[in-house]
Structure formats: C-alpha cells, structure tokens
Amino acid sequence: MLTFTETDQGGRAHIEGPMTIHNAMNLKSQFMGALSASQHLELNLAAVTEIDAAGLQLLIMAKQHQIHIQHELNLINHSETVLAAFEMMGLVSWFNDPVIITRQ
Amino acid sequence: MDEIEQVLGLYISESRELLDEMELLLLNLENEQDQAESLNAIFRAAHTIKGSAGIFLLDDVVHFTHGVESLLDKMRDGKIASNSELTSLLLDCKDHISLLLDNVEHKTVLADHDFLNGKALLQTLIIVVKQGGTDGPKEPPNDNTQLVPTQDVERENSPKVLSDNWHISVRYHPDSFRFGMDPLAILRYLTTLGDIESITTLFPSLPSASEMDPETCYLGYEINFNSQANKLDIEGAFDFIRDDSQVHIIPPSSRISDFITLIESLPEQDIQLGEILVQSGSLTPNELEFALSLQRQLKSQSIEVPLGTLVVNNGLTQQPVLESAIAKQNQIRDVKTKEIQSVRVDAEKLDQLINLVGELVIAGASSSLHAHRSGDRVLIESFSMLTRLVEEVRDAALQLRMVQIGATFTRFQRVVRDVAKELGKDIELVITGAETELDKTVVEKISDPLMHLVRNSMDHGIETPDVRMDNQKCAKGKITLNAYHDSGMIVIEVSDDGAGLNYEKILKKAQQKGLVLEGETLDVQEVNNLIFEPGFSTADSVTNLSGRGVGMDVVKRNITDLRGTVEVQSTFGHGAMFSIRLPLTLAIIDGFLVEIEKSSFVIPLNMVLECVQLSEGNSDIDPNTQQSYINLRGEVLPIIRLRSLFNLGGRVPKRENVIVISCLGSKVGLVVDKLVGEYHTFIKPLGNIFIHIQGISGSTVIGSGEVALILDVPNLVQKILTTESAKALYSQTERMNVQ
C-alpha cells in the first residue's frame, strides 16, 4: 500500500505492508502515479514487512524510470527485510542511497 | 501464497513418484546384472528430492536425504558393494523420506518415535558410509573440488582462471514469478551451501516503466560463490528453474574457454558481461582480455562441435555431472512427451463428468420413451440416433476412469520381500497382465483384499525352504499375480506353488463348526470354498500375518461388495489359485428390471439364472413368514417375497413371477409381480440417511422418470442363509433335547 503526499521540497511516499508478487500489480499502478508527480521523490521503506524479488524489481523499475525522466528518487529508512534483500541481491550500491550497514 | 502451495504440492507428488521408482529399483537391485544403471537412477531420484526440498527450505528432508545420497554416491562409485542388508536400510530410508513428505503435506510434526527412527537411520547411514570408505579402494572422493583435472594443463591451450570460487550465472525465465519461484529464496538457499562473495543483479530486459509487467521476471544474476559443496549440490539449488531459465555453473579453476561459452550464451553484450565477471572476481582483467581474443579466434575458425563432446574432451566437466545432466535432459524429454499424451485431471472432475453422463443417459432414455409414445416416426428415428451417441459418450466417459492394474501389483513387490524375510521363506513375485485396465475406484478397493490374499499365500501357501526341498520343489517359492479381461469382467488371480489347501483338514474343521452336517457329501471345490466362511481358519498356529480366522470371509465380503466373486482352486501339495472376478466399473450395471405394486427394482443381471411363473400348486406358502419354498423341477428353492420384505402392501396379483438368482453359492428365488426386462443403467448411491437400509444397494432413474431401487442381492441371500442355518441349529437342539 503506497501513500503519496506532496510537500514543498517534492513528493513523499511511504509503503506499508508487503511488497511481493501478490500485490505487485497494485503497487505498480500506485507507483506510476507517484513517480511522475514530483521532481524529487522520497520513498520511505520503514513499514515494508516483506519483500521478494518481484518487489525489488518494482523498486528497480522506479529508480530506472526516474533516472530516465531525469527526476530524483531516494529510498530512505529501509526496513530490515528490505535491507537484507538488497544485500542478498547486491543492490545496495546500485540504488546508491545512504543505508545503515549492519554486515560486512 | 497459493502459488507456492501449488508448486509444493507438485513437488510432493513428484517426489512420491520418485520414491516409488526408487523402491522398485532397490527391490530389483539384487537381481540386476548391471547395477550401475539402477544405482545411478536411484541416486538421481534421491538427489532430485533433496535439491528441490532445498528450494522450499524443507531442512529436515534435505538433511536426511543428504545422508542417503552420500551412501548412494559411494555405492555408485563402487566403493561400497550393495547387499541385501543395505537394500533394506535404503528401503527404510525411503519410507522415512516418504513420512517426512507426508508431514510436510499435512503441515504436521513428525511423531516422536518416527523422529528417533529417522535419527537412528541417519546414524547408521553415516557409519556405513564411513566404514565403506575405509574398506573400499582408496580413491580421491569424487565430490571434492580438487578433483577438477590438473594433469592436462600443458595439453590444453586454454589456461585456467585464477579464482578458486564458483561462478554462477542465472537468467530467469519471464514467467518465473508466475511459477511461484522467488529468486531471493533460491539465493537464500545458496547461502546454506557457501558464501556469496559477490553478486551482480542484472535486468537488461527491464522495459520502460509504462510497459513493465510487475508479474514478469526480468532478473538475472552473476554470482561469485565460495563453497566446498560439489557441483551436483549447487546445481540442486537451481533444479526447479533449470528447465525454463538459463543457469550456468562454472566450477573453481575452470578454463577460460568455459567463460567464453558463458559469455556467448548470455543475452548481454560481451564486454558488459565481461566487466561484471571481472568485478565479481571470477575473472582477472587479463583473463578477460584473453578470453575475448580467444573467442574471436574460435569464431573465425567456426568449427562446429557439439557442446557436450567439447566439454568432455577438454576435461572440464566432471563425468558424473555430465551423465546426470544428460539423464536429466532425457528424463525431462520423456516427461514432456508424456505430458503431451496425457493430462492430469482432478478425480472429482472426472466423477462429475461420469455423473453428468449418467444423467444424460437417463434423460435420453426418458425422452426416447416419450418419442415412442408420440408415434412420430421421424422423432423416433432421430432419438434412436441420439441414444446411440449417448451410449458412445457413456462408454468413452467410463473409459476415462480406466487405469492399469500394474501399479497396484508392483506395490506387492515390497510386501512380498518384507514378509518373506520375516517368515524366513524365499519367495519370488511374478506379475503378468499388469496392463489390464479397470475402473479407478475398483482398483482402490481391490487393493486390501489382494493384500490379504498375497499375505495368506505367503503364510499358509508357500512352505519353508527345507520343506520344499523335501517335497522335490525348488527352494524358492513363487507367487503369481495375473489379470485379464473376460466377458465384461476383470479376472485377477493370486496363485502360489505352495502346499495347497488340505481337503481333509478343512472338512474336519467345517464339521466341528457345524458348517457341514455329518454325512453331507461335498466335492473338492465346495470344500475348498468353505475357507471363505466367517470365522474359519485351519492354521495350526496363529501368526501375526494370518490364521486368526478373520480374513477370508472379509476378503469375500469386500469383493462381494464390489459385485464380484472370489473362488479358490487348489491341488493339494501343488499350490492354490484364488480368482477374483469383478465388474470393470462400479458406475454401471446390467440389470433386470422388475415391478412390484408399481415400485420398480433392478436386480444385477449377472446373478439372474432364470425366470419362472409362480403357480399356486408348486409353493408351500406360509403367509406369516417372508420366505417359503417352491419346488423347482424337483429341487427345493427358498423364495423371498419382496412384497412383504419391503412392506409394499397392495393386493397380490393372480400371477406372480419368480426370478431365480444364484449368489454366494446358493440359489434363491425372488417373488415379484411383473418382469420388465433387461436394463442398462447408472447406479446412483443412496444418500447417507438411507445407508442403514438393508437389501438396497443403490438407486437409478428409469425412462419414465421414476426411481428404481437396486437390490443388494448378496445381502438378501446372506440374510436368508443365516436364518436358515439358525433354524437348522434350533431344530437340531430341539431334537437333542427330546432325546
């Protein structure tokens, strides 16, 4: 479930609950609305309870899309499961967002 | 989680098939000339079960199966010779795996004693593997990475890479998510085998945001993997996706040419991929350059060599890996062609279809009746065409439920082996006619009675080896299971070359029990069939297999419930043969339709002997009881008046008819008002409320739309026989009291 609010600095969004293949369809359409709305989008991942490869793929899509249309996307407050998945797939540096590194 | 559940279900059913296959191979192992092939197949089965279990994170299964696999691996390499002890151990292990899978399926936890049993088995496996390892010829273990050939370095113009890590390259099939696969879960499993040193996730085919389908998988990865596991184990992690996705696994210290193959087979640009390989640490920059230049050389020469030969010639791939890969490919191909030829259908759907066809037959019959009444010739003609088609559809629908009896028969291989061992006898099971088909529901229900007969033959029939030797027989006993079709019935025979039935003993016992009266003369056949009487056993000692006297009558009842018959033929000293005759299907009945007081009844046609008219002169009618006797050509025939049995009331017509039926070895007459004729119909089971009604086994709808009840003839006859013998007993004691 993605909630989007516009602020002076740009858009803010946060995702609550799972990001898996089961809700990927819904999430994508919600993403598309939020992505084009603002020059600078901050996506809060603190409340993501579960993420699988389909969820990761959505984040990749979002990031690539923003780069493509020259908007900015920052992921913040990665929840533990998100971070673990990022590390597992070697995506931390690709997203290039500041994260709290717990391993390595 | 539905997809996962589904895939898990698929995994469990596939594993069960593999386990069955494993069991069969194990049982035949001892008789096999060339064991290598069988051992390979057994190993592959265990390995597939383990590999897939890993993906579902079924740690128990992985752990246990790994132990089994280690032993099989040694056996396959000839380091441990197979013997019957090991076979028994492996069979027990197979049972345990099956138990573990049951628990996975029902989401239950293993019972305590099963858990301990599993632990003990695993312990034994470890000990056997260890001892075998010390006894066997010294050879470096095959599953170690050091075995990657080192001796051909000079000969090979493609140098080896420096890295001591594995390189794994995966491109997922676009439908992977839809198949319930989560690339993350596979990575997680991989981490249980070793450390992921470096991973690059790739998504070159990811389209622009608007076109991207979130349920399609666009991912792939390149992994530099540090592990002591063998190639089969690592491949195991990808077993479930290997068919559709692209998976390349390159062992440590492979040759650069291997990486060239990899680079060539992947969709990304050569340079880009090369860089990833360098970044991940699998290749050094120099190696990459060398690889790319070598690749250009090879391209210009363009020699076409099948990949498999190239790989082996270069000594790159470990032989077992290649063999198993080829076998796996063949297996997949076989399965695929099978899939084309047959479709798995839910049994319930099939039952529904049969039911609908049943309704169609009934509705068709009723329409055709109306057509006949209308007298319109064109209508009648078109309906007769329709009826023919409906009949064809009915036959085709019933054909769908037919399965071969072979699978049921093969299950007995194990039973015979285990029981023979327990009894200290040497028994061989011979199966013929395994391809004979019969209805699935019949197959399920016949399994128990068959089990009883087979056990009985082993326990009572086959003698111990020394007794057999004394009787000039081969020490090895033989039990034969045979099946064939005979005039719309299936005949299943269980025969043995054992001692046969003891006529004297049976007769004596029967007289003791009052089943046969003193002075009554019976032929051999009749005496032999006495063993099906309730509470009859001639066994001198009660073993835990049979001999308690519950058994043969249960067998007989079960078979009678299926509208079948069972008989025994025996020659004393030379063996016995039990033949079971069953209708091919339970859903359809060839019946004889009769009427009493406007109610219709169907009597199974195969039991009807003849019909006679009941004239007042030839019966000895007692209006107070349901039964009486008639004189049928000088023979006494007990009759049952269905009118009074079912309390139908009404007036007895002037002319009544008697249908003479033969069942359970005796003849009985059923008195009815009117004979309608032969009738093919579908049986509809009675609802639960009517389950206790005696004498009725089902219902059907006849052409006029009325319900006709199907008589449970065996039950009726049984009833009349027990009252008869009770009466006989009563009069006997009366007489004794008088004396």
Side-chain angles (χ1 to χ4, degrees), chain B residues 20 69 453:
Chain B
D20 285 347
E69 209 187 82
L453 288 177

Side-chain angles (χ1 to χ4, degrees), chain B residues 614-673:
Chain B
L614 181 70
S615 50
E616 278 174 42
N618 63 2
S619 64
D620 161 26
I621 299 166
D622 180 355
N624 297 323
T625 52
Q626 286 169 0
Q627 80 226 42
S628 45
Y629 304 89
I630 60 167
N631 176 352
L632 180 72
R633 292 185 292 272
E635 208 180 313
V636 175
L637 181 76
I639 56 172
I640 305 174
R641 298 183 156 272
L642 294 181
R643 179 190 297 276
S644 38
L645 182 73
F646 293 120
N647 278 327
L648 294 168
R651 284 181 60 190
V652 181
K654 269 200 173 151
R655 280 187 179 170
E656 286 180 290
N657 291 289
V658 178
I659 298 170
V660 182
I661 52 170
S662 138
C663 180
L664 303 175
S666 37
K667 275 187 190 174
V668 176
L670 300 176
V671 182
V672 301
D673 289 1

Side-chain angles (χ1 to χ4, degrees), chain B residues 94 209 359 380:
Chain B
K94 176 249 147 193
E359 300 280 353
I380 293 173

Side-chain angles (χ1 to χ4, degrees), chain A residues 21-22 24-26 28 32 35 50-58 60-61 64-65 68 84-91 94, chain B residues 1-3 177-178 182-184 187-188 191 196 199-201 203 206-219 221:
Chain A
I21 181 69
H22 302 287
M25 270 294 182
N26 275 334
K28 193 208 161 187
M32 294 308 285
L35 286 177
E50 190 189 344
I51 191 162
D52 66 3
L56 284 172
Q57 194 175 267
L58 274 179
I60 294 169
M61 173 213 78
Q64 242 183 7
H65 180 67
H68 185 67
F86 272 33
E87 280 178 359
M88 186 67 90
M89 297 276 269
L91 287 169
W94 187 79
Chain B
M1 297 302 278
D2 278 351
E3 285 95 352
F177 291 157
R178 292 187 195 99
D182 183 4
L184 259 182
L187 282 180
R188 252 177 242 132
T191 54
I196 295 177
I199 174 169
T200 310
T201 299
F203 29 85
L206 191 79
S208 69
S210 52
E211 280 162 33
M212 179 250 189
D213 173 7
E215 289 184 356
T216 299
C217 185
Y218 303 98
L219 301 175
Y221 34 58

Side-chain angles (χ1 to χ4, degrees), chain B residues 11-64:
Chain B
Y11 160 67
I12 288 175
S13 68
E14 268 177 16
S15 300
R16 290 238 168 84
E17 275 167 28
L18 285 170
L19 286 174
D20 285 347
E21 189 190 319
M22 209 166 134
E23 179 175 295
L24 204 64
L25 287 165
L26 280 170
L27 289 168
N28 288 333
L29 197 59
E30 284 159 51
N31 309 328
E32 203 84 25
Q33 290 296 321
D34 176 27
Q35 295 190 338
E37 193 63 25
S38 297
L39 279 170
N40 261 331
I42 297 168
F43 179 84
R44 274 200 302 274
H47 180 71
T48 310
I49 292 170
K50 185 186 95 169
S52 310
I55 295 182
F56 294 103
L57 303 176
L58 306 173
D59 293 340
D60 291 353
V61 182
V62 175
H63 189 61
F64 187 79

Side-chain angles (χ1 to χ4, degrees), chain B residues 374-389:
Chain B
S374 75
D376 184 334
R377 289 180 70 181
V378 183
L379 192 64
I380 293 173
E381 201 159 304
S382 75
F383 261 109
S384 69
M385 180 72 164
L386 184 71
T387 311
R388 211 195 70 216
L389 285 174

